Amino acid sequence: MPTALIRRPGPRLAEGLVTHIERRPVDIALAASQWQQYVDALHRTGWSTVEVPPIEECPDSVFVEDTMVVYGDLAVIARAGANERRPEAAAAEETVAKQGYRIAHITDPGTLDGGDVLKVGSTMYVGQGGRTNTAGVEQLRAAFAPLGADVRAVPVRKVLHLKSAVTALPDGTVIGYEPLVDDPSAFDSFRSVPEEAGAHVVLLGEDRLLMAASAPRSAELFADLGYTPVVVDISEFEKLEGCVTCLSVRLRQ
Ligand SMILES: NC(=O)NCCC[C@H](N)C(=O)O
């Protein structure tokens, strides 16, 4: 059974960072119930989950994907591009180490957020220009090249993270809402979707795609392509520039 790391939202969630959008009030109780529904969707589709212990002082800690990049048997622990988020990494590292992963670190002067890394087979696209810097990309390449990964930097300026702009379908097609993709030609294959949140899918296996309720037309498009959308409402996390990908770290091996 595949496993996903998750991290329960804390009481300060509403104070999470916003960079590219206007701040809107977050309903904490609704966020808690949406988080539970996200976790339930993982369980329903055959995933087991492991909780990283919550860290109450960090409002953005629920976005656990940003703390690491996992490929093969190695977890590279990120060094967040936003100072406020750096304390999130330690407990995430302990949790993934307990799952049997070898550990490496992004170190000063490197910065990297897991949300900037999109893996498509052995290609690892890394968004550079926001939270992730050149040194972060180089360190990631040094860590994963020995495992056969081809680490490629791609520009990200219009949105928070690379995976706020693009993710990939099970056949490797990169999908994105074009007005927010800096350079669609950076990807081996690219297909546009009609909504911003339609660019965000988590591959659940067996052609199921976890996606947000805010992208109904994209869900229809994916259903027409033969995929099965599994839809969750994550409105309270979207107010903090979060998407379905960032609420878990999928451990696929
Ligand atoms: N991987 C992601 O998309 N993470 C979302 C992080 C949102 C959070 N408010 C932040 O600005 O860091």
Side-chain angles (χ1 to χ4, degrees), residues 211-229:
M211 44 184 309
S214 52
R217 287 191 294 140
S218 307
E220 224 171 87
L221 170 73
F222 299 144
D224 288 344
L225 292 173
Y227 297 109
T228 307

Side-chain angles (χ1 to χ4, degrees), residues 14 33 44 55-56 71 84 111 120 129 157 160 176-177 181 226:
S33 103
R44 228 180 26 245
I55 178 164
E56 296 204 346
Y71 181 81
E84 304 88 316
T111 65
V120 183
R157 286 194 187 80
L160 181 63
Y177 176 59
V181 182

Side-chain angles (χ1 to χ4, degrees), residues 112-236:
L112 181 133
D113 280 10
D116 271 323
V117 181
L118 172 66
K119 292 168 284 182
V120 183
S122 60
T123 303
M124 224 181 249
Y125 296 104
V126 189
Q128 193 184 322
R131 297 273 177 88
T132 298
N133 66 13
T134 307
V137 177
E138 279 165 10
Q139 292 177 24
L140 197 76
R141 180 177 293 121
F144 285 124
L147 276 65
D150 173 15
V151 174
R152 301 190 206 166
V154 296
V156 175
R157 286 194 187 80
K158 298 179 178 170
V159 284
L160 181 63
H161 287 130
L162 177 64
K163 275 187 283 187
S164 322
V166 293
T167 59
L169 294 173
D171 70 359
T173 305
V174 172
I175 49 170
Y177 176 59
E178 252 184 296
L180 298 180
V181 182
D182 283 274
D183 181 12
S185 73
F187 307 103
D188 288 340
S189 64
F190 179 83
R191 178 171 191 137
S192 320
V193 294
E195 296 140 319
E196 178 174 355
H200 314 145
V201 298
V202 169
L203 308 187
L204 293 171
E206 294 176 16
D207 286 338
R208 287 169 308 203
L209 309 177
L210 184 63
M211 44 184 309
S214 52
R217 287 191 294 140
S218 307
E220 224 171 87
L221 170 73
F222 299 144
D224 288 344
L225 292 173
Y227 297 109
T228 307
V230 175
V231 176
V232 286
D233 189 348
I234 54 161
S235 64
E236 300 315 289

Side-chain angles (χ1 to χ4, degrees), residues 17 60 63 65-66 85 115 131 160-161 240-243 246:
L17 296 170
D60 284 308
F63 303 117
E65 168 181 64
D66 292 323
R85 298 200 58 191
R131 297 273 177 88
L160 181 63
H161 287 130
L240 298 166
E241 288 177 279
C243 25
C246 56

